Amino acid sequence: MNDSDSDGDRQSYCDRCGEPAGIGDHEACRGARLMEPPRYCGRCRRRMVVQVTPAGWSARCSEHGTLSSA
């Protein structure tokens, strides 16, 4: 699902709200992510380019590559 690179797959930020993942309660974000694509890169907090199609979604970070529902 994730393009891999040398930094690994660590997530520092919530991919829905963009806030630091370890601070605060992200229960609502986790619930929303069951139905929605990510909006922020979980590694660098950049806003991602998101495309939703009938077949799924893709979200692209300019620094860390593309995630998809496939």
Side-chain angles (χ1 to χ4, degrees):
M1 186 152 124
N2 222 346
D3 284 349
S4 61
D5 62 16
S6 60
D7 290 340
D9 290 331
R10 66 189 139 92
Q11 183 163 339
S12 300
Y13 300 99
C14 174
D15 62 4
R16 181 172 182 262
C17 70
E19 295 301 316
I23 298 173
D25 181 22
H26 294 279
E27 189 63 34
C29 294
R30 285 188 289 276
R33 281 284 288 117
L34 296 174
M35 300 295 290
E36 300 174 4
R39 301 294 174 176
Y40 292 89
C41 178
R43 296 175 60 203
C44 67
R45 199 179 190 182
R46 283 184 173 86
R47 186 88 167 147
M48 294 198 290
V49 176
V50 177
Q51 182 174 15
V52 179
T53 66
W57 55 262
S58 65
R60 181 176 45 86
C61 171
S62 60
E63 182 71 22
H64 297 106
T66 302
L67 299 171
S68 70
S69 60

